[in-house]
Amino acid sequence: MSNTPETFFSIEQFYQLLTQGKLMAGKCLKCGKIHLPPRPLCDTCYTTQFEWTQIPNKGHLLTYTIIHIAPTQFQNLAPYTIGIIELEGGLKLPGIIQDVSQEKLKIGMTLTVDFSTCDIPQNWPKWPKYCIKP
């Protein structure tokens, strides 16, 4: 898919693809850099020509933090863990980590982006939800 008016790269399209269970990134057609989240302008060569590319949903935990005092919409989850996983090619993705006790979290452990069984409030944000699981 190229960057035509029908396929303009945006975060909204990224979330629409998540509803289909696809973790997609924008690949620059000029220099080949892969952007996650996608954006309409390559930050390496400044082109606007992209195609969608599916990326693996497995990665390794880079960092995490445990949230004890949560915003109103997440209070029923507290304490909960937010982490960043590094996917293939060095791409990084943040998310709520579920189905692993906080005592068992280890930097470098393998985790998967899950699109279907996340226990995350629906009222905010309005985007499709995903979480990170072992």
Side-chain angles (χ1 to χ4, degrees):
M1 227 184 267
S2 64
N3 186 17
T4 63
E6 301 83 44
T7 59
F8 183 77
F9 282 74
S10 67
I11 196 70
E12 290 82 9
Q13 286 179 324
F14 170 73
Y15 283 116
Q16 287 174 356
L17 290 164
L18 284 178
T19 64
Q20 300 169 24
K22 297 176 184 175
L23 184 56
M24 304 291 281
K27 181 178 181 180
C28 176
L29 293 173
K30 185 174 178 185
C31 72
K33 182 173 181 181
I34 297 175
H35 298 277
L36 181 70
R39 59 202 67 176
L41 179 71
C42 179
D43 62 6
T44 299
C45 68
Y46 308 111
T47 188
T48 58
Q49 299 299 307
F50 289 90
E51 67 182 359
W52 287 109
T53 185
Q54 190 158 6
I55 55 175
N57 65 340
K58 289 187 187 259
H60 295 91
L61 184 61
L62 285 180
T63 189
Y64 66 92
T65 189
I66 299 169
I67 308 296
H68 293 275
I69 301 173
T72 304
Q73 62 272 21
F74 294 107
Q75 285 181 356
N76 65 325
L77 299 177
Y80 61 95
T81 306
I82 300 284
I84 298 175
I85 62 170
E86 184 171 11
L87 303 164
E88 184 179 294
L91 300 171
K92 296 169 182 73
L93 186 70
I96 293 177
I97 300 174
Q98 295 186 335
D99 293 351
V100 60
S101 68
Q102 294 165 351
E103 299 80 30
K104 292 185 179 180
L105 284 172
K106 300 283 185 232
I107 300 298
M109 71 185 295
T110 300
L111 297 170
T112 302
V113 179
D114 183 275
F115 305 102
S116 60
T117 60
C118 300
D119 184 23
I120 300 173
Q122 290 288 331
N123 58 341
W124 184 89
K126 294 292 184 191
W127 305 308
K129 59 185 177 172
Y130 67 89
C131 59
I132 301 169
K133 295 184 176 186

